[in-house]
Amino acid sequence: MERAEKREVVSALSDVFANTGVVVVAHYAGLSVSDMTKLRSDMREAGGSVKVAKNRLVKLALDGTDAQGISDLMTGPTCLAYSDDPVTAPKVAVKFAKGNDKFVILGGAMGATVLDAKGVGSLAELPSLDELRGKLVGLLQAPAGKIARTVSAPASQLARVFSAYGSKDAA
C-alpha cells in the first residue's frame, strides 16, 4: 500500500470514528470468505458497515477522536463494525458471534464511552431506533382511540337529548 493510499484509509477511518454512533471491534481469525461476506451483507441490510484495516492505520485514525480508548483492542486480526444507530452494529455483531465461534467480540466505543464485550452485548439487547419509534407511535395511537370514543359517546348522548327536547318543543 502506498503512502497516499494509507492517508486515504486513515482519513476515511477518522470520519467513521467521528461520525458514527457506535464502533464494535472483533477478532475474525479463521472465518471463511463466505462467513465474512455474510457478516457484511447482514450488517449492510441493518444499516451498518464492516471494515477490515491494518491495526496501525486504525490507531492513527483513532488519535484525536472520542473513540481513542479502543486503540488497545487493535491487536491481531481485527475488524470494525459500525453504524449510526448505537444498537444496529452491536445487535448484528452479537447475533453473528452466536452462530460463529471464530468471530469474537472484543469491545467497542459509543462516542467517548469505551465498551467491553459485555457492554456491546448489553447494547445489542436494547430495541433499535425503528423499534422504539414503532412503540412510540403505538403508544400515541392507543390513547387517541380512547379519547375519540370518550368524546363521541357524550356527543351522541347530547344529540339524543337535543333531539328529545327538540321533539317536545315541536309538539
Side-chain angles (χ1 to χ4, degrees):
M1 190 181 282
E2 292 184 26
R3 206 172 263 223
E5 290 174 314
K6 289 180 182 179
R7 275 192 223 117
E8 287 178 28
V9 170
V10 169
S11 175
L13 287 171
S14 291
D15 286 344
V16 165
F17 295 131
N19 299 322
T20 58
V22 68
V23 177
V24 177
V25 181
H27 277 170
Y28 67 95
L31 282 180
S32 66
V33 173
S34 62
D35 288 339
M36 199 64 172
T37 303
K38 171 110 174 77
L39 173 62
R40 289 177 194 270
S41 68
D42 289 350
M43 193 67 73
R44 195 176 314 114
E45 284 177 19
S49 298
V50 174
K51 180 86 172 158
V52 175
K54 292 185 178 231
N55 291 334
R56 179 73 184 132
L57 297 178
V58 173
K59 287 180 181 181
L60 287 172
L62 281 168
D63 284 339
T65 65
D66 286 342
Q68 186 169 320
I70 63 171
S71 63
D72 296 340
L73 300 176
M74 299 296 142
T75 58
T78 56
C79 71
L80 304 170
Y82 54 92
S83 63
D84 292 333
D85 179 13
V87 177
T88 300
K91 192 170 282 215
V92 173
V94 167
K95 182 179 177 188
F96 188 79
K98 286 180 182 174
N100 296 290
D101 58 343
K102 294 178 182 175
F103 186 76
V104 180
I105 296 173
L106 302 174
M110 186 172 68
T113 306
V114 176
L115 305 167
D116 60 357
K118 289 180 183 179
V120 173
S122 296
L123 274 178
E125 293 173 4
L126 294 174
S128 70
L129 188 58
D130 289 337
E131 291 169 346
L132 286 174
R133 286 179 182 152
K135 287 180 181 183
L136 183 62
V137 168
L139 287 173
L140 291 175
Q141 287 179 344
K146 287 182 179 179
I147 290 171
R149 277 178 275 166
T150 304
V151 170
S152 67
S156 63
Q157 291 172 351
L158 283 174
R160 278 186 264 145
V161 169
F162 285 128
S163 66
Y165 283 123
S167 64
K168 286 183 183 178
D169 290 338

